Amino acid sequence: MREKTGGFFAEFRKFIARGNVMDMAVGVIIGGAFKSIADSLTADILMPLLGILTNQITFSNLAVNVGGAVIGYGKFLEAVLNFLIMAFAVFCIVKAINSFHRRLERQETAQAAAPAPSQEERLLTEIRDLLKAQKEER
């Protein structure tokens, strides 16, 4: 029974120490911080500007009374706009990372595709090195 518990925790420790999990944790933390920026952009800049264009003071006050219920569709519109901002930002980041990876792959392919020196080039290199060594001996 004790081995199984130790094995479980050892496996969990190995899982946590993997690079992907650590990258994901950093991404979640940065995403949380970025969410507050996107929320502020939506609530403090974009929605007031849209309110000016539509003669509304703020979208968050938009609501409809249906029976005894109040349906606040203005806050929903702000949430949708906030989502679109976040999705666009993530799209731009992923696009930049994919572009970077494609560039690296092209460089690696170009380096791997470089032809090996011909027999003549190898002989000339050896001759050059021998002449250089003779010159240094004098």
Side-chain angles (χ1 to χ4, degrees):
M1 188 74 157
R2 190 165 245 257
E3 292 176 20
K4 192 172 187 179
T5 305
F8 175 79
F9 286 116
E11 187 177 346
F12 179 70
R13 192 173 25 242
K14 183 179 174 185
F15 171 76
I16 290 297
R18 270 199 221 149
N20 292 344
V21 173
M22 299 307 282
D23 292 344
M24 184 178 67
V26 169
V28 167
I29 292 168
I30 291 173
F34 183 74
K35 183 184 178 315
S36 65
I37 293 170
D39 287 343
S40 176
L41 176 66
T42 302
D44 301 329
I45 297 173
L46 295 178
M47 294 315 276
L49 290 174
L50 287 174
I52 291 170
L53 296 174
T54 59
N55 293 327
Q56 295 289 329
I57 297 172
T58 177
F59 270 64
S60 61
N61 293 336
L62 295 177
V64 173
N65 292 326
V66 178
V70 177
I71 300 173
Y73 67 92
K75 290 182 181 181
F76 175 74
L77 291 175
E78 286 184 4
V80 169
L81 185 59
N82 190 36
F83 168 77
L84 292 174
I85 291 168
M86 293 282 289
F88 181 73
V90 170
F91 169 76
C92 290
I93 291 168
V94 169
K95 186 170 175 61
I97 290 171
N98 288 341
S99 174
F100 176 72
H101 284 294
R102 280 192 299 272
R103 191 175 315 128
L104 282 180
E105 287 174 3
R106 282 194 301 267
Q107 288 175 352
E108 289 171 359
T109 303
Q111 290 173 352
S118 67
Q119 182 68 21
E120 293 84 12
E121 288 175 319
R122 279 186 263 146
L123 287 173
L124 288 171
T125 303
E126 287 179 28
I127 293 169
R128 181 199 64 204
D129 293 343
L130 287 171
L131 288 172
K132 195 183 281 186
Q134 284 178 351
K135 193 175 187 180
E136 290 175 0
E137 287 177 5
R138 293 183 195 176

